Amino acid sequence: QLQLQESGPGLVKPSETLSLTCTVSGDSINSGNYYWVWIRQPPGKGLEWIGSLFYTGNTYYNTSLKSRATMSVDTSRNQFSLKLNSVTAADTAVYYCARQATVIAGNWCDPWGQGTLLTVSS
Amino acid sequence: QSVLTQPPSVSAAPGQKVTISCSGSSSNIGDNYVSWYQQLPGTAPKLLIYENNKRPSGIPDRFSGSKSGTSATLGITGLQTGDEADYYCGTWDSRLSAWMFGGGTRLTVL
């Protein structure tokens, strides 16, 4: 059974860089037909897509993040990561990682990790 | 403001039926499959409907999905108090090369 687990610092200071890792278990991150995605949810608000990453390194990003986001994959550890620089209080959110089927494969996100709360505060 | 438009809230009595709409455009809903997600309070979203109208294993047939043109609809029959949650539609936007979520709809079972 495929499972995803986010890990991160919990608290980051304004202007610093946020770093999160998603560990995939139960299947290889090299599986075809799937992207690996980061999604966040500010407190009391809706879901916001951050970006999608293929195991080859091909990426798509939410342009609203203004190039602050960088995603990478470590196939040897079956993990993928997110870095978000120059964070502000507006980046405070629960961050989820998930598997995203490609458009050809059905275009859905499942499963999701349990989420990790990231607070930006001095 | 989301590219996919959902009503902020819907409500109905236990046992009744409710529908939640998701309106988009030709480059997202009109061009790609739509999926729906249920987020119970304090939990991660869960896939409810995929490829417009298919249910993952374990999802009861009280939940259904449909798509027509640039709009999609989630239907829930036989409402239960346990269905109270936030529901999101999602799809890929081919023009923007970006994943889109609707703004979410809060279902209240009165």
Side-chain angles (χ1 to χ4, degrees):
Chain A
Q1 179 184 359
L2 181 69
Q3 292 184 314
L4 289 82
Q5 178 68 58
E6 307 89 348
S7 57
L11 179 66
V12 178
K13 291 182 168 56
S15 80
E16 293 187 344
T17 297
L18 167 169
S19 294
L20 296 173
T21 297
C22 182
T23 300
V24 179
S25 59
D27 195 9
S28 172
I29 204 166
N30 292 341
S31 297
N33 292 324
Y34 298 113
Y35 279 82
W36 304 93
V37 61
W38 287 100
I39 294 158
R40 69 181 182 179
Q41 185 172 37
K45 297 188 178 181
L47 302 173
E48 180 184 27
W49 172 76
I50 297 171
S52 299
L53 167 72
F54 201 61
Y55 76 93
T56 56
N58 188 33
T59 54
Y60 296 97
Y61 294 106
N62 188 331
T63 56
S64 71
L65 294 172
K66 299 179 181 178
S67 302
R68 294 191 296 126
T70 303
M71 298 176 61
S72 60
V73 61
D74 185 339
T75 54
S76 66
R77 296 189 176 193
N78 227 34
Q79 295 176 333
F80 62 103
S81 300
L82 169 70
K83 291 188 187 298
L84 186 66
N85 59 35
S86 304
V87 298
T88 70
D91 295 309
T92 293
V94 175
Y95 285 74
Y96 297 101
C97 60
R99 181 182 64 173
Q100 174 199 337
T102 64
V103 167
I104 294 175
N107 200 38
W108 40 260
C109 294
D110 183 70
W112 297 54
Q114 66 182 24
T116 186
L117 175 63
L118 196 292
T119 301
V120 179
S121 175
S122 55
Chain B
Q1 186 173 356
S2 302
V3 172
L4 304 182
T5 302
Q6 297 181 232
S9 63
V10 295
S11 61
Q16 296 300 303
K17 173 183 177 179
V18 72
T19 60
I20 298 173
S21 61
C22 176
S23 178
S25 69
S26 59
S27 63
N28 42 66
I29 293 179
D31 198 32
N32 295 300
Y33 287 122
V34 175
S35 49
W36 289 90
Y37 303 87
Q38 178 193 57
Q39 186 176 31
L40 296 168
T43 68
K46 179 179 74 172
L47 180 66
L48 199 62
I49 296 288
Y50 69 101
E51 293 182 15
N52 302 334
N53 55 19
K54 297 179 181 178
R55 286 175 287 105
S57 174
I59 301 299
D61 60 6
R62 299 187 299 107
F63 295 91
S64 63
S66 64
K67 184 182 109 168
S68 178
T70 59
S71 293
T73 302
L74 173 69
I76 311 173
T77 60
L79 279 171
Q80 303 173 359
T81 55
D83 296 332
E84 287 201 331
D86 294 324
Y87 292 84
Y88 296 89
C89 58
T91 190
W92 185 256
D93 190 295
S94 302
R95 179 177 62 86
L96 299 175
S97 292
W99 183 269
M100 300 287 155
F101 286 107
T105 299
R106 176 151 296 178
L107 168 64
T108 300
V109 181
L110 303 170

